[in-house]
Amino acid sequence: MASEADRPVWTPSPDRVARANLIRFIDTLPAGADVRDIAALWRWSVDAPEEFWPAVWRFTGVIAAEREGQAPWDDVVIGADRMAPPDPVLGPRWFPGARLNFAENLLRHADDRPALIFAGEAGDRRELSYRELHSEVAAMAAGLRAAGVRTGDRVAGFLPNLPEAVIAMLATASVGAVWSSCSPDFGARGVLDRFGQIAPRVLIAADGYRYAGKEIDCLARVAEVR
């Protein structure tokens, strides 16, 4: 007899299982994939990654530059044999030739559904809809462009975990720049060790943050880093 420890804590209802994204994904696969359940899906993903990952791409609706009459990529994967153990230098390359924008994919919706829900240590709560997030990211992106940020430039964030950090990251990605960040509890030396390697064109910083019930000012460190 199974012990209490062997029994599942929770089991989804058949209706919930039927509505799960993985089940919906399986239902979109061609009969030739011979995938009828989750175990078979896992096996197919391992045995046929060149078929599995394009199916994931299509199901999730990845937005990428179109190439007339052909797939958005040159190959699905190059170097799949280097996945186990992964080669830290020459690891697999996925979908080479595809061109897409990270922010465009995350901001594909522009409606009133919640995009970000933030809860702070002091009990404060903020919610941004996709429409509001769109607007905030667009404003920040315009500011970055006005500051001279272009494709390939670096933008650094010395920020706590706030919606503004997500907005700054998405705005950076939307203009084709590279985002790097660190927590405001870093000392100036640690910030310089990280950001000094990438020579950011713009530094986005907060004047302080809250931790363990205390308001901590970091303007002196921001000034030193600058």
Side-chain angles (χ1 to χ4, degrees), residues 111-117 127-130:
D111 52 33
D112 293 324
R113 287 179 296 170
L116 292 177
I117 300 174
E127 183 173 306
L128 271 76
S129 68
Y130 277 102

Side-chain angles (χ1 to χ4, degrees), residues 130-195:
Y130 277 102
R131 195 183 314 281
E132 292 168 326
L133 184 59
H134 251 277
S135 177
E136 295 284 350
V137 170
M140 173 68 81
L144 291 175
R145 290 189 181 96
V149 175
R150 300 292 181 266
T151 300
D153 285 341
R154 279 75 61 200
V155 175
F158 187 34
L159 297 166
N161 191 8
L162 294 167
E164 286 76 11
V166 178
I167 291 165
M169 178 275 292
L170 288 170
T172 300
S174 74
V175 301
V178 179
W179 171 257
S180 180
S181 67
C182 67
S183 168
D185 62 4
F186 272 45
R189 185 71 260 163
V191 177
L192 291 171
D193 285 345
R194 173 171 291 197
F195 294 155

